Amino acid sequence: QVQLVESGGGLVQPGGSLKLSCAASGSILSINLMGWYRQAPGKERELVATVSSGGTTKYADSVKGRFTISRGSAKKTVYLQMNSLKPEDTALYYCKADVEIMTGRYLAFWGQGTLVTVSS
């Protein structure tokens, strides 16, 4: 029906950068909010950043000034540019999209997650 496929995770040294991508496909009329969440071992999933279809962004305090979220021109792709990475950014990063599957009906879909490890 609707799939979200993430890519771009990996191992990076503290202070380094990574860019995550998430592409949505399937039966999609439109996508409202897209975002990135993360879950570290032993912790709950938390919001990292979101971006609306109009370009309004929201960030967790812990990533402000270091991470930048953006959407592709077709609005079905979302990116997360992560700079100045810290060991505490290590987590499984999930993409989420609020997808209009029928006129006026929205469902939330999640990707499978991509692992980001920040370590020397």
Side-chain angles (χ1 to χ4, degrees):
Q1 196 179 31
V2 175
Q3 286 189 323
L4 301 181
V5 179
E6 300 126 331
S7 60
L11 173 65
V12 63
Q13 291 187 342
S17 298
L18 279 177
K19 185 173 184 178
L20 305 182
S21 300
C22 172
S25 63
S27 301
I28 298 171
L29 294 184
S30 68
I31 301 178
N32 186 10
L33 201 68
M34 296 189 82
W36 291 94
Y37 294 71
R38 67 186 182 187
Q39 187 167 18
K43 294 188 177 181
E44 293 187 351
R45 190 174 299 188
E46 63 176 3
L47 179 146
V48 176
T50 61
V51 57
S52 72
S53 57
T56 301
T57 58
K58 175 182 177 181
Y59 295 92
D61 288 343
S62 59
V63 306
K64 281 181 182 176
R66 300 189 298 122
F67 291 10
T68 303
I69 190 170
S70 61
R71 287 176 72 161
S73 57
K75 305 297 183 184
K76 293 182 179 180
T77 304
V78 64
Y79 305 98
L80 186 68
Q81 177 66 47
M82 304 185 293
N83 299 326
S84 302
L85 282 160
K86 305 175 181 180
E88 51 263 42
D89 294 317
T90 295
L92 196 56
Y93 283 70
Y94 295 92
C95 171
K96 180 187 177 187
D98 294 336
V99 178
E100 186 179 22
I101 59 169
M102 297 172 58
T103 302
R105 183 182 178 192
Y106 287 83
L107 287 178
F109 292 89
W110 292 85
Q112 79 286 356
T114 185
L115 183 62
V116 172
T117 303
V118 184
S119 175
S120 55

